[in-house]
Amino acid sequence: MELQAEDSTLIRNYLSGDERSLEILINRHNQRISSFIYSKVYDREITEDLFQDTFIKVIRTLKLGKYNEEGKFLPWVMRIAHNLVIDHYRKSNRMPRYEGSPEFSIFSIMQDDRLNAEKQLIQDQIQSDISDLIAELPEDQQVVLQMRMYQDMSFKEIAENTGVSINTALGRMRYALINLRKLIEQNNIVLTN
Amino acid sequence: MDQLYPAKQNCKLVSSSEETVRFLLDYSKSLSIVSSRGMEFENNLN
């Protein structure tokens, strides 16, 4: 009974602006609430997260003046923690958590396809070199190559758009590639990542 | 007697870290409630 009375006094003091009272309340009930959460989730990190979320709700409710369970602070906080544990399991079911084992790592089948900073720089340099090389080609070859490689158009579409036959478009593409190879060899350009 | 309390291992006592408690105290200090026209607004001041 004495403990409950002290809790209610601390809450009153906290609502009057005494932040130290909140610290005493949190420290006083830390172990009971954390242990309660831990007994449900068996994970220290999740316990910390849920403990934090519990007291964020407590603080908000107190500051909003919505707390009206005088003398029953701990059961009230435990109820909030309990509801958050339930929410946690609801979310976990929607988004299952995977834990690897020594025999199998999820990263053996998953990987980040993005280039690292160094490879990205090299890639940008290659793109820049290719743009410069394309600019050296005759204009009709440039047009066909850009439509094919950058706009992903079929040779039929290229032919229609440039007003030439498909064979001519194919021929221009062939010569564009031959000329590009020549330029790369003449200038000793390395285009690999 | 041990067999009477098979769930004893589930009652591990743990406490949240000082860092978490410090965060909560800082959160409390930063949170202010402003009432205006019958509505309450929450502010977080950094």
Side-chain angles (χ1 to χ4, degrees):
Chain A
M1 284 301 285
E2 191 182 319
L3 187 70
Q4 286 180 350
E6 280 183 24
D7 280 352
S8 54
T9 306
L10 288 168
I11 290 165
R12 266 201 308 277
N13 292 344
Y14 172 61
L15 292 175
S16 304
D18 178 17
E19 294 285 337
R20 170 83 185 126
S21 296
L22 178 70
E23 188 174 357
I24 296 168
L25 274 171
I26 293 175
N27 286 328
R28 177 180 290 170
H29 299 300
N30 185 344
Q31 191 180 67
R32 283 188 77 169
I33 296 163
S34 297
S35 300
F36 167 74
I37 297 169
Y38 184 79
S39 73
K40 308 288 178 198
V41 299
Y42 302 109
D43 184 296
R44 286 303 303 268
E45 285 180 20
I46 295 170
T47 299
E48 292 266 348
D49 287 348
L50 293 180
F51 178 84
Q52 186 174 295
D53 290 346
T54 299
F55 269 94
I56 283 175
K57 276 205 164 186
V58 167
I59 291 165
R60 286 184 64 237
T61 307
L62 289 174
K63 288 216 172 188
L64 283 163
K66 291 179 179 171
Y67 175 73
N68 57 8
E69 298 189 36
E70 279 183 40
K72 295 176 183 173
F73 179 72
L74 183 61
W76 173 60
V77 180
M78 292 288 238
R79 210 157 52 242
I80 293 173
H82 177 72
N83 289 338
L84 288 172
V85 168
I86 292 170
D87 287 348
H88 162 72
Y89 277 111
R90 281 189 186 138
K91 282 181 203 160
S92 303
N93 285 339
R94 280 205 301 269
M95 200 172 1
R97 186 178 153 150
Y98 175 79
E99 285 183 14
S101 65
E103 295 83 33
F104 175 72
S105 166
I106 191 70
F107 294 109
S108 65
I109 56 167
M110 274 178 69
Q111 59 185 25
D112 183 356
D113 292 332
R114 285 174 300 180
L115 299 172
N116 63 30
E118 186 189 354
K119 287 190 174 176
Q120 187 62 53
L121 277 172
I122 296 169
Q123 181 75 17
D124 292 345
Q125 184 62 52
I126 291 170
Q127 295 292 347
S128 168
D129 288 345
I130 290 173
S131 293
D132 292 345
L133 290 170
I134 291 171
E136 295 293 317
L137 296 173
E139 196 173 337
D140 54 352
Q141 292 174 20
Q142 277 186 43
V143 171
V144 174
L145 192 135
Q146 280 166 346
M147 284 180 169
R148 181 71 190 132
M149 303 307 291
Y150 294 106
Q151 296 171 34
D152 205 24
M153 292 167 75
S154 68
F155 281 103
K156 189 180 174 205
E157 289 168 326
I158 295 169
E160 285 167 2
N161 274 276
T162 53
V164 297
S165 68
I166 293 176
N167 277 340
T168 304
L170 281 164
R172 286 178 181 175
M173 183 69 187
R174 182 167 171 267
Y175 280 108
L177 294 175
I178 289 168
N179 288 327
L180 273 180
R181 283 198 195 99
K182 276 186 196 167
L183 285 168
I184 289 165
E185 282 171 15
Q186 283 167 7
N187 295 288
N188 291 322
I189 296 169
V190 178
L191 296 173
T192 52
N193 199 339
Chain B
M1 278 298 278
D2 283 350
Q3 290 175 346
L4 290 174
Y5 301 100
K8 194 176 176 183
Q9 60 179 354
N10 292 340
C11 301
K12 186 178 170 184
L13 292 177
V14 297
S15 291
S16 290
S17 66
E18 276 184 34
E19 193 186 352
T20 301
V21 175
R22 178 57 45 202
F23 169 83
L24 288 166
L25 295 173
D26 288 342
Y27 171 76
S28 169
K29 282 176 196 161
S30 71
L31 181 67
S32 69
I33 310 293
V34 179
S35 295
S36 175
R37 297 179 189 180
M39 289 185 285
E40 283 168 330
F41 299 95
E42 293 178 33
N43 285 324
N44 264 99
L45 309 169
N46 286 316

